[in-house]
């Protein structure tokens, strides 16, 4: 697969074109950003770990019937993916209250709600990715109501599957963010990444944070936490494939 110039370079990933117009190469960088790019750092080896973690998660989801853009791992930091048009929505799923929701509604972090909570945010850097609702998304012309229902159904299925994938290795899936993209033939599939950058992951026994909150909140041992997540998932994957 030949690389053919950069399609898009974001803060943490770079998307390159290939000689096949249906495929792109996604490079996971070591850069970390938080609070809408106000806080920035380079975390050595984070890209390598997120590439590996995302690959395990995407393969697991694909095997469970969740279509996604991942095709293959090409190297330490690179994965071959289907080219999609990203829908500018961050779909957030919450099993436990944390982060912005705890703050916004004055709920103690760690509270377990009786229901699963879905938020959508409009991906627009200049606006600071505002929280919106279904009607706003339709009014913005991003999705139709039918497409949104499909997206929520996929998010619910992904949540169920990821909760058990992580529970199997002693990790609680507190919340996560996913993005979806349109394929050339108009289907909406899971895309972007699933990693400790985009999920809150707490050790089930100690409640220790194993995710990007270690960077956001200056808790230290950021890369060690990502290594721990990768080590546990890789071990479980080896068991599954035996
Ligand atoms: N999240 C993300 N990218 C974003 C915003 C949120 O991956 O731009 C993830 C975040 O890591 C967490 C979940 O979505 O797992 C919920 O984040 P929240 O809304 O609490 O915002 P935050 O506290 O990260 O500002």
């Amino acid at each position: 697969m030949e690389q053919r110039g950069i399609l898009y370079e974001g803060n943490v990933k770079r998307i390159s074109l290939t000689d096949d117009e249906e495929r792109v190469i996604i490079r996971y960088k070591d850069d970390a950003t938080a609070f809408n790019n106000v806080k920035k750092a380079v975390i050595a080896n984070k890209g390598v770990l997120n590439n590996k973690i995302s690959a395990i998660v995407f393969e697991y989801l694909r095997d469970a019937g969740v279509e996604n853009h991942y095709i293959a791992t090409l190297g330490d930091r690179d994965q071959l993916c289907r080219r999609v048009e990203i829908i500018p929505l961050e779909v957030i799923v919450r099993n436990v209250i944390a982060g912005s929701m705890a703050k916004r509604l004055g709920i103690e972090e760690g509270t377990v709600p009786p229901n699963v909570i879905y938020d959508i945010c409009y991906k627009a850097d200049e606006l600071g990715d505002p929280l919106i609702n279904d009607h706003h998304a339709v009014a913005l012309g991003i999705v139709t109501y039918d497409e949104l229902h499909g997206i929520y159904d996929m998010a619910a299925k992904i949540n169920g599957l990821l909760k058990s994938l992580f529970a199997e290795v002693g990790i609680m899936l507190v919340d996560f963010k996913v993005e979806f993209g349109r394929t050339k033939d108009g289907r909406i599939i899971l895309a972007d990444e699933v990693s400790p950058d985009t999920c809150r992951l707490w050790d089930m026994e100690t409640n220790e944070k194993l995710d990007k909150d270690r960077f956001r909140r200056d808790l230290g041992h950021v890369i060690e936490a990502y290594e721990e997540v990768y080590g546990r998932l890789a071990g479980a994957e080896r068991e599954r494939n035996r």
Side-chain angles (χ1 to χ4, degrees):
M1 187 64 48
E2 227 175 277
Q3 206 155 304
R4 290 271 166 88
I6 295 171
L7 174 67
Y8 168 82
E9 179 142 15
N11 294 316
V12 291
K13 290 195 294 297
R14 187 175 79 200
I15 322 287
S16 301
L17 296 164
T18 66
D19 49 9
D20 178 342
E21 64 168 36
E22 295 284 308
R23 293 173 178 211
V24 292
I25 295 170
I26 299 187
R27 163 153 293 205
Y28 286 74
K29 305 194 291 186
D30 284 344
D31 302 71
T33 62
F35 313 120
N36 265 315
N37 295 333
V38 172
K39 182 167 176 163
K40 291 185 187 191
V42 172
I43 301 168
N45 219 37
K46 178 174 79 76
V48 172
L49 290 163
N50 279 354
N51 181 33
K52 290 181 175 171
I53 293 168
S54 262
I56 291 176
V57 171
F58 282 136
E59 280 182 11
Y60 166 83
L61 289 174
R62 183 192 60 206
D63 292 348
V66 178
E67 195 181 3
N68 62 69
H69 72 160
Y70 175 82
I71 299 170
T73 294
L74 298 178
D76 258 6
R77 295 176 179 278
D78 295 329
Q79 51 187 242
L80 183 66
C81 292
R82 287 176 63 181
R83 183 174 180 177
V84 295
E85 187 91 33
I86 291 284
I87 296 170
L89 276 186
E90 294 186 337
V91 179
I92 294 170
V93 184
R94 302 176 189 276
N95 298 305
V96 179
I97 308 298
S100 68
M101 180 170 174
K103 219 167 165 185
R104 196 169 52 245
L105 300 184
I107 303 171
E108 194 185 345
E109 190 161 90
T111 304
V112 180
N115 53 333
V116 176
I117 295 155
Y118 299 86
D119 286 337
I120 52 173
C121 295
Y122 178 37
K123 263 170 73 88
D125 277 343
E126 65 286 7
L127 301 175
D129 299 343
L131 179 66
I132 59 170
N133 66 28
D134 295 7
H135 308 289
H136 298 168
V138 173
L140 284 164
I142 300 171
V143 279
T144 64
Y145 283 110
D146 274 355
E147 287 172 341
L148 257 184
H149 292 147
I151 285 172
Y152 283 124
D153 285 348
M154 283 189 273
K157 183 169 181 185
I158 293 164
N159 185 40
L161 289 163
L162 291 187
K163 265 201 305 195
S164 46
L165 175 73
F166 285 112
E168 206 185 313
V169 297
I171 293 174
M172 190 199 305
L173 178 63
V174 171
D175 61 25
F176 63 96
K177 182 266 303 182
V178 277
E179 296 180 22
F180 295 87
R182 291 176 202 278
T183 61
K184 207 175 172 192
D185 54 359
R187 274 164 321 111
I188 294 179
I189 65 172
L190 175 65
D192 195 49
E193 75 175 281
V194 179
S195 73
D197 271 8
T198 62
C199 303
R200 283 197 171 90
L201 304 169
W202 295 355
D203 182 273
M204 278 178 162
E205 275 184 13
T206 64
N207 269 344
E208 190 189 358
K209 297 184 197 318
L210 301 172
D211 58 60
K212 193 170 137 182
D213 273 347
R214 301 207 72 85
F215 165 66
R216 292 190 190 96
R217 303 179 187 186
D218 295 320
L219 300 175
H221 302 290
V222 181
I223 204 65
E224 290 83 353
Y226 284 54
E227 275 164 1
E228 180 69 27
V229 172
Y230 171 62
R232 292 195 203 181
L233 287 177
E237 189 189 42
R238 277 195 296 276
E239 283 299 309
R240 274 199 303 277
N241 293 336
R242 259 195 346 176

